[in-house]
Amino acid sequence: MIFTIAIDGPAAAGKGTIARALAAEFGFAHLDSGLLYRAVAAKGGDPIVAAQSLTEADLTRPDLRTLAAGQAASRVATIPEVRAALVAFQRRFARQPGGAVVDGRDIGTAICPEAEVKLYVTASPQVRAHRRWLELGGDEAQVLADVVERDKRDMGRATAPLKAAADALVLDTSAMSVADALDAATRAVRVRLG
Ligand code: CDP
């Protein structure tokens, strides 16, 4: 069975939590596509060369989850050649037999517009910054500034900017518990699976 769940949304919206839970629930493979951009930036050197030569080992670096790594990722993610180098791997992953959940910024709009289920997970910048601060610690005002700056760059870039696909189910989790968000997402998948 080929079945893709595409989950897009701004920084720290909870895409990863929903993606991991759906993958476990339905026995699908899961790809966090943000990790690819984080790894490209962390590799250093020419980002286009880094994207073209990315390996599994690059994705296991311990420093990929920091705020700095996220900022660096969103800068290299504006380069069309970097994005192009990562398309085939993500498409293949999304359409693998057995089902896949892929989360990111452009999965439902550019990587896999044919995805059977598209979710756009969002929340207010304050709520998202608070969640990221709970994960990473540090100065919460700085985390908020970081989230806002990254969203602006991700939404404003020319190639595959962050936006909800026209046929995406929008989940605003500002005032929603994780359980409620998961419930809505699971229902959407069940309906499509039939
Ligand atoms: O976890 P968080 O939402 O903070 O970020 P992420 O999903 O790890 O993505 C890091 C950065 O990679 C984003 O700010 C985007 O600039 C870029 N990205 C992208 O351009 N396209 C994707 N499909 C996934 C991430």
Side-chain angles (χ1 to χ4, degrees):
M1 178 201 47
I2 308 276
F3 193 100
T4 308
I5 304 173
I7 307 181
D8 293 304
K15 302 180 296 288
T17 304
I18 293 179
R20 280 188 298 274
L22 289 178
E25 170 74 21
F26 295 100
F28 290 0
H30 169 225
L31 174 67
D32 169 4
S33 67
L35 211 53
L36 304 175
Y37 295 91
R38 288 172 183 262
V40 164
K43 225 174 156 174
D46 181 340
I48 299 172
V49 174
Q52 289 167 344
S53 61
L54 206 64
T55 65
E56 289 273 338
D58 295 325
L59 305 180
T60 61
R61 293 174 64 113
D63 54 353
L64 296 181
R65 296 285 174 195
T66 63
L67 285 190
Q71 278 292 350
S74 91
R75 287 195 194 92
V76 300
T78 64
I79 305 170
E81 293 87 349
V82 165
R83 307 198 68 84
L86 302 174
V87 166
F89 171 76
Q90 294 177 85
R91 282 213 175 120
R92 223 179 307 119
F93 192 99
R95 300 312 270 169
Q96 69 183 281
V101 186
V102 185
D103 69 271
R105 300 290 186 289
D106 63 340
I107 309 305
T109 52
I111 296 296
C112 193
E114 69 273 45
E116 281 71 18
V117 174
K118 297 181 191 178
L119 304 175
Y120 188 85
V121 181
T122 187
S124 72
Q126 287 74 17
V127 166
R128 291 186 287 116
H130 187 69
R131 289 180 190 156
R132 187 49 50 96
W133 173 77
L134 289 174
E135 275 170 26
L136 295 179
D139 173 8
E140 192 169 344
Q142 181 55 46
V143 177
L144 175 60
D146 181 272
V147 156
V148 169
E149 184 187 342
R150 202 141 60 84
D151 287 352
K152 197 168 160 220
R153 195 181 295 119
D154 290 348
M155 291 174 183
R157 70 182 174 223
T159 308
L162 167 64
K163 61 170 185 245
D167 52 350
L169 169 66
V170 178
L171 289 179
D172 185 332
T173 67
S174 302
M176 236 184 194
S177 68
V178 172
D180 287 346
L182 254 177
D183 200 49
T186 307
R187 258 186 284 122
V189 176
R190 282 199 204 291
V191 165
R192 192 65 172 78
L193 277 170

